[in-house]
Every structure is written in C-alpha cells, then in structure tokens.
Amino acid sequence: MRTLQQHPGDFALLCCVVLLLPLLSHGADIPLGSTLSPGNSASWSSPNNTFSLSFTPSPTSPALFVAAITYAGGVPVWSAGAGAAIDSRGSLRLTSDGDLQLVNGSGAVLWSSNTGGQGVAAAAVQESGNLVLKNSTAILWQSFDHPTDTVVVSQNFTTRMNLTSGPYIFAIDENSGNLTLRWTSGSNTVTYFNMGYSTGSKTLSSPTLTIQTNGLVFLTDDGQPASPALVAYSSNYGESGDMVRFLRLDADGNFRAYSSARGSGAAPEQWSAVSDQCRVFGYCGNMGVCSYNGTSPVCGCPSRNFELSNPSNPRGGCKRKVDLQSCPGNSTMLQLDNTQFLTYPPEAINETFFVGITACRLNCLFVSSCVASTAPSDGSGLCFLKISSFASAYQSAALPSTSFVKVCFPGIPNPPPSPSR
Ligand SMILES: *[C@@H]1O[C@H](CO)[C@@H](O)[C@H](O)[C@H]1NC(C)=O
Ligand SMILES: *[C@@H]1O[C@H](CO)[C@@H](O)[C@H](O)[C@H]1NC(C)=O
Ligand SMILES: *[C@@H]1O[C@H](CO)[C@@H](O)[C@H](O)[C@H]1NC(C)=O
Ligand SMILES: *[C@@H]1O[C@H](CO)[C@@H](O)[C@H](O)[C@H]1NC(C)=O
Ligand SMILES: *[C@@H]1O[C@H](CO)[C@@H](O)[C@H](O)[C@H]1NC(C)=O
Ligand SMILES: *[C@@H]1O[C@H](CO)[C@@H](O)[C@H](O)[C@H]1NC(C)=O
Ligand SMILES: *[C@@H]1O[C@H](CO)[C@@H](O)[C@H](O)[C@H]1NC(C)=O
Ligand SMILES: *[C@@H]1O[C@H](CO)[C@@H](O)[C@H](O)[C@H]1NC(C)=O
Ligand SMILES: *[C@@H]1O[C@H](CO)[C@@H](O)[C@H](O)[C@H]1NC(C)=O
C-alpha cells in the first residue's frame, strides 16, 4: 500500500521549489494555478520520472492533443476525459479552487475532476503512475479510481469501474464477480466474454482485479484477501527488471496483459482474455467476416454481393452493393460453409429455433427482418436468425457451422481461399 500521508513541512517546501521551476516539476507537488498546454513541452512527472503527465498527439486525430500519463518510453496508461482531444490552444489546468480541468481552445471544459472547493491544495504524479489531488494529509481524488483503458501494477480495479475502448467495455460484474467484455452500439449489447474465477467464496463482496509485479493477474475479494483467484499468468511471469506491467482493453476489443521495459516504448503482449481474436464480437464491423491469414486475423465480406464500407479500413464492416429492398429480382439465401455468425448468450429466444440446416435457411428467407441465419452444427440442432442491425461473422476451415446470408438474387460467392491457407 502506498502511503497516503506526508509531512506538512515537505509539502510547503515542495510548493516553493515548484514555483521557482514551473516547467520542471519532477516529482514535486503541482501547486494550484498550474497549467499544462500542448504548446509548451512541459510535463508533470513522478519523483523518478517513471510516469509523466503531458499532452500527446491524439491517436485518432493527430492535429488534436490528449492529456495523458505515459510510462517512461511513451506507453500511455491514463488520459483525462477518456481520451478527450483538445486543439493546440487548449490546456489542462489545476484551478485555484482545486479542480483539474481539460479545456479546449474555445474555453469549453471538456472534462473535470469535479473537486473544486473540496480543499485540494496540490496535485502530484506518484511513482506508481497515479495522479493524485490532495490536501496536506489526504488524497481527495486519484486517477487510479477513474481508469480509462489501462490498469497498472498497484492499481485496484473494482466493480465501480469500467475500461472503455471504442464500442468495447471491460467490467467486473458486481453480482457474479465475473470478468466481462461487452460490445455496445445504441441499445444493442453483446457480452462476448464472461468468465468466473473461483476465490473460494460463493459470493464476492467486493471483487478487485490487480496485476502483480511478477506478472500474475489476480481477482481478490475484500472478505477473502488470503485466497485470491488466479486469472492469468503473463508469459514472462517472474521476470523482473526496470519495467511496468499493465492490463489494457485494446481498440480491437481484446483485454490483454503487457509488460514494457523502461524507455523502450514497446509493450509486448503477455496474455489475452479472448485467445481467438475472431471471436471478439464486432471485430470486423457490421456484416464483416473475420478469418485468419496465417496467424493474423483479417476482415472481409460475406460474398461478392458486399463491399467494404470503407476500403481503407477493413475493420469498418461491409455494405451491400444492392439493398435488399431494391433487389431487381427476388432475394435468396447464399450458403457460407465453415462460417458462423457470432451468437453469444442469451440470444433473443424468439430468434432461436431447433431445426435442420434447410429450415435454418428458409426460416430466414421468409422473415423479412432477417439478414442471415447460422447453424452452429455443434450437435445442438440450433439455428439462430440474425434480426438485429449488426452481424459479426467468423470463417475458418475448422468451424463445422453453416451460415446463410440474404442477398439479392443471384448470390455471388467469394473466390475460394488462397492455397496458402
Ligand atoms: C488497493 O487495495 C488495497 C487493499 O484494499 C489497499 O491497501 C490499497 O491502498 C489500494 N490501492 C490504491 C491505490 O487505492
Ligand atoms: C527513485 O530511484 C532511486 C534510485 O533508483 C530509488 O532509491 C528510490 O527509491 C526511487 N524513488 C521512488 C519514489 O521510487
Ligand atoms: C471546444 O469544445 C466545444 C465543446 O465540445 C466545441 O463546441 C468547440 O468547437 C471546441 N472548440 C475547439 C476550438 O475545438
Ligand atoms: C484533508 O482532507 C480530508 C478528507 O476530506 C480531511 O479529513 C482533512 O481534515 C483534510 N486535511 C486538511 C489539513 O485540510
Ligand atoms: C463506466 O463507468 C462510469 C463511471 O463509473 C459510468 O458513469 C458509466 O456509466 C460506465 N459505463 C458503462 C457502459 O457501464
Ligand atoms: C460467470 O462465468 C461462468 C463461466 O466461468 C458462467 O458459467 C456463469 O454463467 C457466469 N455467471 C453470470 C452471472 O454470468
Ligand atoms: C496476410 O495479409 C496481408 C495483408 O492483407 C498480406 O500482405 C499477406 O501476404 C497475407 N499473408 C498470407 C500468408 O497470406
Ligand atoms: C424467385 O423468382 C423466381 C422467378 O421469378 C421464382 O421461380 C422463385 O421461386 C423465386 N424465389 C423465391 C425464393 O421467391
Ligand atoms: C423478439 O422479441 C422481441 C421482444 O420480445 C421483439 O422486440 C422482437 O421484434 C422479436 N423478434 C422477432 C423476430 O419476432
């Protein structure tokens, strides 16, 4: 546990050092009234410069900037406002009444710690990577309680928190203590990873996920600190050295453990929650089909009746060349062998049938809202109709599933897979 207290004398001294050296606040407390902006290259750093808070170009729009805490070498672990981006005239400011605010060039406050008037006397970036707002005796707000997509060593991830990345959310289910990964779009939610880890107790009172310095990932419970459940081993388990370990919900919807050697800027993967990336719902976008080319997941379309929605982004899904409502003739069900439309429990019960392959095809053809149907052929005899506006598919020679996609007549199959696969 990190000490939450410090001596009032040190506090006052650090304040003065900072006032003399406003741009070089290595490890010192950041006084009220301090400001970071993309224009100056200032940063707020931890005592040994292990972590620092500064503006970095937004990964999605490089002309804009994100206020991020990065590990030495450049691996980001937190950002103000979950990656909210400001223009070059904006700033991150610690107001005189103790509120930390991300402000864009127009003066609009895009994010705030909501700590104004609560007695905050200074900010600091700790050696652990935790950004704290504090008075002389206590921490009043900490970034560790408001994670964005990453959890580092010594950070507690609890049921009150979630990690987000695009349409993806990682959370601990507060009732079961299960680790969950969800895809959301509007009112649609699909839970594509839902895993329970036994801690020896039937009900978890306050499950907490942590990654240890040795690379083990544990789920602990307040009531049962002596019996943590092992969630994962990092593949470089036990390796030590000047490195940071962390868990991250990646933009591809997978949840992974990483380690990064100080100064390297690189973070090799050590474990992933979903071992088969093609089983991450929505990875290839709407009507996209995930398959493997060698060991890499690649995205394509169900048939030549479709094309990529955005040719420069295969993950952006597929669109029909001709809408079903505009078919010049009638529509038909094109058979896709070794293909499954991903179906995670609980699939809407009225879209599930116990029927054979032929009926699976015909049932969809005659339900006007159905866009595809899939028979897992796993012995269950089930057929799932895809009614919702979003469908995510997986194709592999190893899959026994047969699917059907509704297209304007005639259906034009994709060319056969290249002989390299
Ligand atoms: C994490 O939880 C442990 C055990 O409850 C606690 O001692 C520690 O202070 C917590 N760490 C942070 C940064 O909140
Ligand atoms: C900073 O580094 C020095 C030398 O490696 C070490 O002794 C000290 O404990 C470190 N300080 C913190 C706060 O980790
Ligand atoms: C600042 O943010 C506000 C609110 O999001 C937005 O309306 C405004 O256009 C932004 N200004 C700049 C310069 O980005
Ligand atoms: C610091 O904040 C804590 C929690 O609000 C409060 O109990 C304590 O009295 C404050 N200390 C000072 C010196 O203001
Ligand atoms: C994620 O957590 C934040 C803060 O706890 C909460 O406001 C938000 O609703 C959560 N989002 C989801 C999708 O659960
Ligand atoms: C928790 O995960 C287990 C699989 O590990 C699953 O069988 C169970 O149904 C899940 N519980 C809930 C409430 O989702
Ligand atoms: C896999 O896909 C990439 C890019 O789409 C391509 O450059 C590469 O040649 C493919 N590899 C194989 C083994 O087909
Ligand atoms: C499609 O149209 C052809 C010719 O009009 C007809 O023979 C066939 O039964 C139709 N198929 C369906 C599924 O309606
Ligand atoms: C399935 O049931 C839901 C809610 O009960 C309803 O909104 C939906 O339209 C139904 N789907 C079909 C295909 O009947």
Side-chain angles (χ1 to χ4, degrees):
M1 173 178 158
R2 298 195 64 79
T3 169
L4 301 187
Q5 300 204 331
Q6 63 177 86
H7 302 294
D10 292 354
F11 182 75
L13 182 68
L14 291 171
C15 276
C16 302
V17 172
V18 167
L19 288 173
L20 292 172
L21 298 167
L23 297 184
L24 298 171
S25 43
H26 296 312
D29 283 348
I30 315 301
L32 300 184
S34 298
T35 295
L36 282 177
S37 60
N40 62 29
S41 54
S43 65
W44 297 346
S45 297
S46 68
N48 281 352
N49 291 319
T50 304
F51 289 92
S52 60
L53 174 61
S54 64
F55 279 99
T56 57
S58 160
T60 46
S61 32
L64 300 177
F65 299 88
V66 174
I69 297 176
T70 50
Y71 177 65
V75 176
V77 298
W78 182 81
S79 62
I86 60 158
D87 59 89
S88 61
R89 293 174 301 118
S91 65
L92 183 73
R93 64 187 184 202
L94 182 58
T95 65
S96 56
D97 76 338
D99 199 20
L100 186 64
Q101 301 179 336
L102 182 70
V103 187
N104 77 358
S106 66
V109 176
L110 301 185
W111 170 85
S112 146
S113 59
N114 291 317
T115 50
Q118 294 177 17
V120 169
V125 177
Q126 300 181 327
E127 269 299 282
S128 59
N130 195 9
L131 168 66
V132 301
L133 302 178
K134 58 190 183 175
N135 63 18
S136 57
T137 56
I139 289 175
L140 304 174
W141 180 96
Q142 55 180 358
S143 61
F144 274 11
D145 288 341
H146 304 272
T148 51
D149 58 8
T150 302
V151 175
V152 298
V153 167
S154 83
Q155 184 169 2
N156 298 320
F157 184 83
T158 71
T159 52
R160 291 186 305 277
M161 303 169 186
N162 55 48
L163 305 179
T164 58
S165 190
Y168 298 107
I169 298 168
F170 173 80
I172 304 175
D173 182 71
E174 58 184 335
N175 299 316
S176 61
N178 280 12
L179 305 188
T180 61
L181 284 167
R182 284 176 288 154
W183 172 93
T184 59
S185 172
S187 59
N188 289 336
T189 296
V190 175
T191 302
Y192 56 92
F193 180 82
N194 183 0
M195 193 66 82
Y197 298 89
S198 171
T199 58
S201 60
K202 281 211 159 55
T203 47
L204 303 175
S205 59
S206 70
T208 300
L209 187 72
T210 57
I211 180 165
Q212 311 290 310
T213 49
N214 62 8
L216 296 183
V217 180
F218 281 127
L219 191 64
T220 57
D221 194 31
D222 258 9
Q224 303 265 322
S227 58
L230 181 62
V231 171
Y233 273 97
S234 290
S235 47
N236 65 351
Y237 161 71
E239 271 178 37
S240 54
D242 205 355
M243 60 151 100
V244 68
R245 291 186 185 271
F246 58 94
L247 298 164
R248 184 171 67 202
L249 173 60
D250 285 313
D252 65 8
N254 217 327
F255 181 62
R256 299 186 175 89
Y258 291 96
S259 64
S260 177
R262 189 186 186 101
S264 70
E269 172 187 332
Q270 306 298 346
W271 169 79
S272 63
V274 185
S275 55
D276 186 342
Q277 181 62 35
C278 282
R279 295 207 175 271
V280 170
F281 192 83
Y283 174 68
C284 287
N286 190 22
M287 294 309 288
V289 182
C290 184
S291 62
Y292 286 91
N293 131 355
T295 55
S296 304
V298 292
C299 294
C301 295
S303 76
R304 288 184 179 177
N305 304 81
F306 296 82
E307 60 194 359
L308 290 176
S309 297
N310 175 357
S312 63
N313 176 20
R315 283 198 52 205
C318 300
K319 63 178 187 206
R320 295 172 185 281
K321 291 178 180 168
V322 180
D323 281 342
L324 287 174
Q325 298 89 324
S326 317
C327 290
N330 53 18
S331 51
T332 183
M333 299 301 294
L334 177 66
Q335 182 164 336
L336 307 172
D337 293 329
N338 306 113
T339 302
Q340 190 174 51
F341 281 93
L342 296 182
T343 301
Y344 290 101
E347 184 80 351
I349 198 74
N350 56 354
E351 294 166 15
T352 308
F353 302 92
F354 289 94
V355 295
I357 296 265
T358 307
C360 194
R361 173 181 169 276
L362 291 176
N363 279 5
C364 183
L365 184 60
F366 297 124
V367 172
S368 67
S369 56
C370 184
V371 294
S373 57
T374 197
S377 307
D378 54 2
S380 66
L382 284 171
C383 166
F384 298 99
L385 300 192
K386 296 294 156 185
I387 308 285
S388 85
S389 55
F390 195 99
S392 181
Y394 181 7
Q395 181 182 43
S396 162
L399 288 176
S401 321
T402 299
S403 293
F404 301 91
V405 63
K406 193 184 283 180
V407 294
C408 292
F409 187 85
I412 313 163
N414 284 332
S418 63
S420 68
R421 171 67 194 159

